[in-house]
Amino acid sequence: MAVNEFMHPRNRYRQKPNFQQLVKQFPELNAVARVDLTGKVKLDYRNKQAVHLLSKCLLLRDFGLKLELPPDKLVPTLPLRLNYIHWLEDIGSVAHWQDKETVRGIDIGCGASCIYPLLAAVQSQQRWHMVAIEKAEDSLESAKANVIRNELQDCINVQSQKQEGNTIVLDVLKDFPDERFDFCMCNPPFFDSNSNELKPHDRTGRRREPSNASTGSLEELCTEGGEVKFISQIIEESLQLRDRISVYTTMIGHKSSYEKILLTLKRASIHNITASRFCQGNTTRWAVAWSFDTKLMLPLVPNSLSTAENNSPGKKQTVGKPISCRIFAAADVDSIQSVKTCILSKLQAIAISVRVVETSTSDEIILELTALENTWSHQRRKRRAVQMSSQEVQTPNGNGTEPECSDQQNGSGHNNHEKRPRLDDKPYECSSQQRNPADDPYLRAALNIARKEDGYYLTLLYIAGIAGKDAVNQILQYLKNT
């Protein structure tokens, strides 16, 4: 099924290139193009030479990039690569990379084309500076040649990954001891070198033959343990590097691998994550990013899984969908700061800790909420119990004691004192499940306060915690009620 409609909205290849015009501009494409009965010019994507020539021509036309590849190396298809770059731009908008003069990134396994660093440099107008690492000697030399060919040596530093080393990024960063990076990216080999299978497992027997020619050398396509083991090692190394790299990102080739990587992150107690899905042509890839930076809330990154998977019947949405409502009309309060003060007081009243996240706009405030237990459920019942207690204290007998409720008065065998525990719950509902702050929180969520023309809006987004996604609905309802 074609999935171009789910391609990143800024991707220029959502619309297929006009091959008729392209062939006029690049006559060399005539060797691999054909004209159908309607007069349309088409390319055979199963032809390796056609895929190679098309990528070279599009790179030159759309990005001004000149690319040469050795034989039998992976030919980069541009829609997929551009989807990854646009997703990184979305992450950067939340991380405020737009405020930085230079953004520093690492491409793990840049390949012979060095395509991601080249696109990153051009797309950012040379604001993104990349360290490109590669293990294979022939690919390393080709990558360096492509950087020099495009005169981007000031933006891209191609580094050899140590052949004898067992690490992916740890050893490379020893060459940059005083430097911190904004992100790393990776397009790992999808397949397990211990398996003979170089294509996705066909569970139903109905999988169609690939519509594109298969390109790439064995080391580009395969690694021991496949992509799950490779990415799991990056996760392990990230636990040592922590904020040396602000955001760790990777592409994932198989849906089953994506689910295993999410589980690996959860087991490592890494909850500051975001995920996406790259759709292009008849191909789908997945991506995950994680961070240890407490000022950066990755769940706020626009998530293509929310839209794409909602349109796929039977698909379970992976990431929580934000819920929103207007909390004040424009005339009710004088400023967004007043709204923040009000919200903070309501949240502090139920022992939810709040951290204000820096934003670059005066019309938006982002708060990170952390709860160690459920303190928000049944608030109306608790307020009612307090009111009843205060009324009893204010209406004593003539002798200064509270009136007794006899069985005849209340029509039952129980007095009010016996009933009160049912109404007057413990202050916090889950006090029997006190959680250590060192544990994973009961709930982590992001709260966005935004000023619009007709008033002030709250948006809540579930991030992590055993409370689950229903908890953010309950907290939003509590804020509305109070």
Side-chain angles (χ1 to χ4, degrees), residues 59 174 241:
L59 277 169
K174 290 177 182 177
L241 293 167

Side-chain angles (χ1 to χ4, degrees), residues 129-144:
H129 288 194
M130 302 291 295
V131 172
I133 61 176
E134 175 55 49
K135 201 165 190 176
E137 281 298 325
D138 55 346
S139 293
L140 185 73
E141 294 307 314
S142 175
K144 288 178 178 178

Side-chain angles (χ1 to χ4, degrees), residues 39-50:
K40 288 184 178 179
V41 178
K42 293 187 175 182
L43 263 68
D44 182 6
Y45 292 108
R46 291 185 175 88
N47 183 330
K48 292 182 181 182
Q49 185 187 1

Side-chain angles (χ1 to χ4, degrees), residues 283-297:
T283 304
T284 300
R285 296 286 181 259
W286 291 262
V288 174
W290 66 98
S291 176
F292 301 95
D293 186 348
T294 57
K295 293 182 180 178
L296 172 59
M297 296 187 68

Side-chain angles (χ1 to χ4, degrees), residues 48 52 69-75 112 138 215-221:
K48 292 182 181 182
H52 191 171
L69 288 176
D72 301 323
K73 290 295 181 182
L74 191 66
V75 177
D138 55 346
T215 65
S217 61
L218 199 61
E219 70 268 11
E220 290 175 307
L221 300 174

Side-chain angles (χ1 to χ4, degrees), residues 14-173:
R14 282 171 69 93
Q15 299 296 326
K16 286 186 177 180
N18 185 323
F19 291 126
Q20 201 154 4
Q21 293 178 359
L22 201 61
V23 167
K24 288 179 182 177
Q25 189 174 354
F26 300 97
E28 59 267 35
L29 283 171
N30 276 308
V32 294
R34 61 181 178 84
V35 181
D36 67 11
L37 295 175
T38 64
K40 288 184 178 179
V41 178
K42 293 187 175 182
L43 263 68
D44 182 6
Y45 292 108
R46 291 185 175 88
N47 183 330
K48 292 182 181 182
Q49 185 187 1
V51 175
H52 191 171
L53 268 177
L54 178 62
S55 293
K56 285 179 63 174
C57 294
L58 290 176
L59 277 169
L60 185 57
R61 186 194 70 173
D62 297 332
F63 302 96
L65 288 169
K66 302 171 185 175
L67 191 74
E68 294 295 338
L69 288 176
D72 301 323
K73 290 295 181 182
L74 191 66
V75 177
T77 50
L78 292 185
L80 173 59
R81 272 66 183 179
L82 205 52
N83 270 341
Y84 199 158
I85 295 294
H86 286 317
W87 181 56
L88 287 171
E89 292 170 346
D90 292 339
I91 291 173
S93 67
V94 173
H96 304 296
W97 293 349
Q98 63 272 21
D99 300 332
K100 304 185 71 168
E101 185 177 341
T102 302
V103 176
R104 297 285 286 151
I106 301 173
D107 180 20
I108 300 169
C110 66
S113 65
C114 202
I115 186 64
Y116 284 118
L118 290 172
L119 285 175
V122 172
Q123 276 287 108
S124 66
Q125 298 179 333
Q126 302 189 19
R127 283 183 54 251
W128 289 18
H129 288 194
M130 302 291 295
V131 172
I133 61 176
E134 175 55 49
K135 201 165 190 176
E137 281 298 325
D138 55 346
S139 293
L140 185 73
E141 294 307 314
S142 175
K144 288 178 178 178
N146 279 322
V147 171
I148 294 170
R149 185 174 289 113
N150 291 282
E151 300 180 355
L152 289 170
Q153 302 93 309
D154 292 341
C155 299
I156 302 172
N157 178 4
V158 182
Q159 290 275 326
S160 173
Q161 190 176 5
K162 295 176 175 57
Q163 292 281 350
E164 67 281 359
N166 294 318
T167 71
I168 295 173
V169 287
L170 280 175
D171 286 338
V172 172
L173 287 189

Side-chain angles (χ1 to χ4, degrees), residues 90 229 282 368 388 436 451:
D90 292 339
K229 184 176 179 180
N282 298 312
E368 182 183 21
M388 289 180 64
N436 190 315
R451 176 167 51 200

